[in-house]
Amino acid sequence: MIRKYSIKELLNKGKFLIDQKVLVEGWIRSFRYSIFIILNDGSTINNLQIILSKKLDKKIIKKITIGSSIRVIGIVKKSIGKKQYIELKSLDIIIYESVDPEIIQKSILQPKKHSFEKLREQAHLRFKTNIFSCVMRIRHHIAFCIHKYFHEHGFFYLHTPIITTSNCEGVGRMFQITTMNLKNQPIDYTKDFFKCKTYLSVSGQLEAETASLGLGKVYTFGPVFRAENSNTSRHLSEFWMIEPEIAFYHLDENINLAENFIKFVIKYILENSMEDLTFLDQRLEKCSKKNRLLEKLELILKFPFKRISYTEVIKIFDQEEKKKNIKFLHPIVWGMDLQSEHEQYLVDKYFKTPVVIFDYPCNIKAFYMRMNNDGKTVRAMDILFPEIGEIIGGSQREERYDILLQRMKDTNTDKKKLWWYLDTRRFGSVPHSGFGLGFDRIVQFITGMNNIRDVIPFPRTPNNAEF
């Protein structure tokens, strides 16, 4: 029985398999001198060189084209070339499907550089490209280690609804769900599928809070949807969020958890995805990127995150504007929501390290965040990263029924829709905290990609729902 290997397995075990007969399958990346096939099956960024037999039928050779899928049985040999340790001397080759060279010339599989815009136009094919296959393998490992971290720290994985009747944040536009013809007026939602107005969820946080008040530690990991017309390199209309919620946790503990968690993820990827990271690092270096990818990731692990209150941040900007005559597009005043230009200056130029900002003004934060004793700020926190900006947002939740009720009134939040959320504060409420991490943003940061559309298989953005 001839054993079948993935190319990754074969390359890793190659020195122990010299002169053994093996079977591999994959897609042809290149074909040179009618003898050398470069094969890849997606399991690794590295390719396997196949040496064709001189006795191979010329009719078969004519069918060997770039992109074709094949099965090869061959003998593992030590390579005389410097780029690979082993190669495969073919004994038998089967072509599953040959690709017309003219079709290849019109596709992103043509062996030349393509723009990311071009790759997105053929998103169904970009999994076969070096750059995108690297990103997708790293994305997988990030997702895996997120589950690993929470499992090892006693969290329970919770599936929260994708369909909701309320807006968790109280701001932003939502995608409505209905089976009715909305052209008919007036609309009677009692006749709709759910007998009420429903939307795609923007967050599973509120449901996760209720679970944490019975299970102690829970986390969600799923898709969320926001109908905001944000056509930037950091925004998607459909994206993935990780949202842990922890009972008996105060804000400081919440910040500690968030920092420990994000460092765990980066450390895990540095230890388990080095081949792909190295390829991306070399690509970024060729593009004259200022910060080397591996150095940037290692720097995150080296120092503790800088922690500073919102009020202290405003003072820093006041001082910087006076000392250096710096002018921002959005003038800095206490009570405003910090913009991207402020976040980038703080992280990239002032501290040059990830920054945790806490105790924000209550008027720019959601109703569920715990009010501080000053009556002006809430126990909120954001973690800002170089190049990305906000990567984590969280808070200590308001556990006091009367104050939560007042905050809902102040922010015009419908208490009738959230009666169940209020109810949790009447059955043994406790201090509790949580945060949200944009999964696609952490993938973007770790891979060094400039555009978030290039770290998700099929991006959903304003005016685009292709594939």
Side-chain angles (χ1 to χ4, degrees):
M1 178 100 181
I2 301 172
R3 181 171 172 181
K4 178 179 174 180
Y5 287 90
S6 71
I7 290 178
K8 183 175 183 177
E9 286 177 317
L10 190 59
L11 293 176
N12 287 341
K13 298 178 180 179
K15 63 182 179 180
F16 304 110
L17 299 173
I18 301 297
D19 294 330
Q20 289 190 33
K21 189 183 291 186
V22 300
L23 184 155
V24 293
E25 295 165 312
W27 298 273
I28 297 173
R29 286 288 178 86
S30 72
F31 184 37
R32 297 179 293 118
Y33 310 121
S34 299
I35 297 176
F36 302 106
I37 287 177
I38 302 301
L39 197 69
N40 192 283
D41 64 357
S43 63
T44 174
I45 187 62
N46 298 312
N47 302 311
L48 177 66
Q49 180 166 276
I50 311 291
I51 313 298
L52 294 182
S53 170
K54 293 179 180 178
K55 299 178 181 179
L56 191 64
D57 192 324
K58 290 183 179 180
K59 291 181 180 179
I60 294 178
I61 292 177
K62 286 182 179 181
K63 293 181 180 180
I64 297 174
T65 57
I66 293 172
S68 298
S69 52
I70 63 173
R71 187 191 80 162
V72 182
I73 294 175
I75 304 293
V76 179
K77 294 291 183 180
K78 188 173 180 179
S79 177
I80 59 174
K82 295 180 180 179
K83 291 184 178 180
Q84 62 275 328
Y85 183 80
I86 63 163
E87 55 193 18
L88 196 66
K89 187 175 181 181
S90 70
L91 298 175
D92 181 59
I93 182 169
I94 293 176
I95 299 174
Y96 288 127
E97 184 170 358
S98 184
V99 180
D100 186 338
E102 290 187 12
I103 295 176
I104 286 291
Q105 291 298 317
K106 298 176 183 178
S107 77
I108 59 173
L109 301 183
Q110 184 184 3
K112 71 173 189 177
K113 280 191 176 182
H114 300 279
S115 69
F116 286 109
E117 289 78 9
K118 184 70 175 178
L119 294 180
R120 285 179 220 129
E121 290 174 6
Q122 299 181 28
H124 59 302
L125 298 178
R126 62 179 180 168
F127 298 96
K128 293 174 181 283
T129 65
N130 282 334
I131 187 77
F132 201 70
S133 64
C134 276
V135 172
M136 287 299 103
R137 284 188 292 268
I138 291 172
R139 185 182 174 100
H140 157 76
H141 285 295
I142 295 172
F144 176 82
C145 77
I146 285 169
H147 287 296
K148 175 180 171 68
Y149 178 88
F150 286 121
H151 177 71
E152 291 178 354
H153 286 78
F155 284 74
F156 299 105
Y157 182 29
L158 189 72
H159 301 107
T160 53
I162 290 176
I163 299 172
T164 183
T165 59
S166 62
N167 185 343
C168 171
E169 299 293 334
V171 294
R173 299 184 63 187
M174 303 173 72
F175 291 102
Q176 187 177 346
I177 298 174
T178 182
T179 57
M180 300 178 68
N181 184 351
L182 297 181
K183 292 181 179 179
N184 297 332
Q185 298 292 335
I187 299 171
D188 182 3
Y189 284 104
T190 62
K191 295 179 181 179
D192 206 351
F193 189 86
F194 292 106
K195 296 190 180 299
C196 61
K197 201 171 184 179
T198 54
Y199 308 89
L200 291 177
S201 177
V202 299
S203 170
Q205 179 207 307
L206 301 187
E207 291 86 355
E209 275 191 63
T210 67
S212 71
L213 294 175
L215 294 171
K217 293 180 176 181
V218 301
Y219 74 103
T220 74
F221 190 171
V224 294
F225 310 85
R226 297 191 182 178
E228 297 168 356
N229 193 21
S230 299
N231 225 335
T232 77
S233 62
R234 300 188 301 119
H235 290 89
L236 293 165
S237 300
E238 175 187 341
F239 53 101
W240 287 69
M241 284 283 287
I242 300 101
E243 297 178 293
E245 290 291 330
I246 317 98
F248 306 103
Y249 252 47
H250 296 267
L251 184 65
D252 288 345
E253 295 169 295
N254 195 33
I255 294 173
N256 291 340
L257 175 71
E259 181 174 344
N260 181 267
F261 165 62
I262 208 164
K263 285 183 174 180
F264 176 90
V265 172
I266 291 173
K267 186 174 184 290
Y268 182 92
I269 297 305
L270 283 169
E271 292 174 351
N272 292 275
S273 297
M274 188 52 73
E275 282 183 355
D276 289 321
L277 283 176
T278 301
F279 176 86
L280 294 174
D281 193 31
Q282 291 169 349
R283 176 196 162 274
L284 291 171
E285 187 179 22
K286 289 177 182 178
C287 294
S288 300
K289 190 110 175 180
K290 289 182 180 179
N291 296 323
R292 291 286 301 274
L293 180 59
L294 294 175
E295 291 175 2
K296 179 185 73 174
L297 296 177
E298 288 164 356
L299 193 63
I300 297 295
L301 304 178
K302 196 171 183 180
F303 302 106
F305 295 174
K306 175 65 180 178
R307 303 185 186 191
I308 186 170
S309 72
Y310 172 91
T311 301
E312 290 174 306
V313 166
I314 299 301
K315 289 179 181 178
I316 286 174
F317 281 120
D318 285 340
Q319 293 168 0
E320 289 293 286
E321 285 181 326
K322 290 174 183 177
K323 287 180 181 179
K324 301 180 180 179
N325 196 29
I326 297 171
K327 298 296 180 184
F328 293 103
L329 185 63
H330 301 86
I332 298 287
V333 291
W334 196 97
M336 71 174 294
D337 202 356
L338 297 178
Q339 302 299 308
S340 294
E341 58 175 334
H342 309 135
E343 296 174 347
Q344 289 171 0
Y345 183 86
L346 202 64
V347 176
D348 296 333
K349 295 183 179 179
Y350 191 84
F351 288 116
K352 298 180 180 179
T353 186
V355 176
V356 184
I357 304 176
F358 59 89
D359 287 354
Y360 280 84
C362 62
N363 63 301
I364 61 171
K365 289 297 181 180
F367 71 92
Y368 51 76
M369 298 185 178
R370 194 182 200 277
M371 184 69 73
N372 283 319
N373 294 333
D374 60 13
K376 297 179 180 180
T377 60
V378 289
R379 301 291 283 161
M381 67 90 169
D382 287 336
I383 297 182
L384 312 180
F385 257 40
E387 302 172 14
I388 297 293
E390 181 190 333
I391 199 166
I392 282 181
S395 70
Q396 184 173 332
R397 316 310 190 189
E398 184 56 78
E399 83 278 10
R400 298 164 293 185
Y401 179 88
D402 293 340
I403 297 177
L404 179 61
L405 182 60
Q406 185 59 51
R407 284 283 290 152
M408 293 177 79
K409 290 178 181 177
D410 294 342
T411 55
N412 295 317
T413 303
D414 191 347
K415 66 178 183 180
K416 291 182 180 179
K417 286 185 179 179
L418 293 177
W419 63 268
W420 51 271
Y421 183 75
L422 273 168
D423 214 26
T424 59
R425 272 56 175 180
R426 298 169 58 233
F427 290 87
S429 184
V430 299
H432 59 289
S433 299
F435 62 81
L437 167 67
F439 177 65
D440 306 285
R441 283 196 181 178
I442 190 65
V443 177
Q444 185 182 3
F445 178 79
I446 289 175
T447 58
M449 302 299 286
N450 289 328
N451 199 310
I452 201 166
R453 294 176 175 90
D454 300 319
V455 302
I456 190 168
F458 302 103
R460 297 291 182 254
T461 54
N463 304 317
N464 177 46
E466 196 79 49
F467 307 104

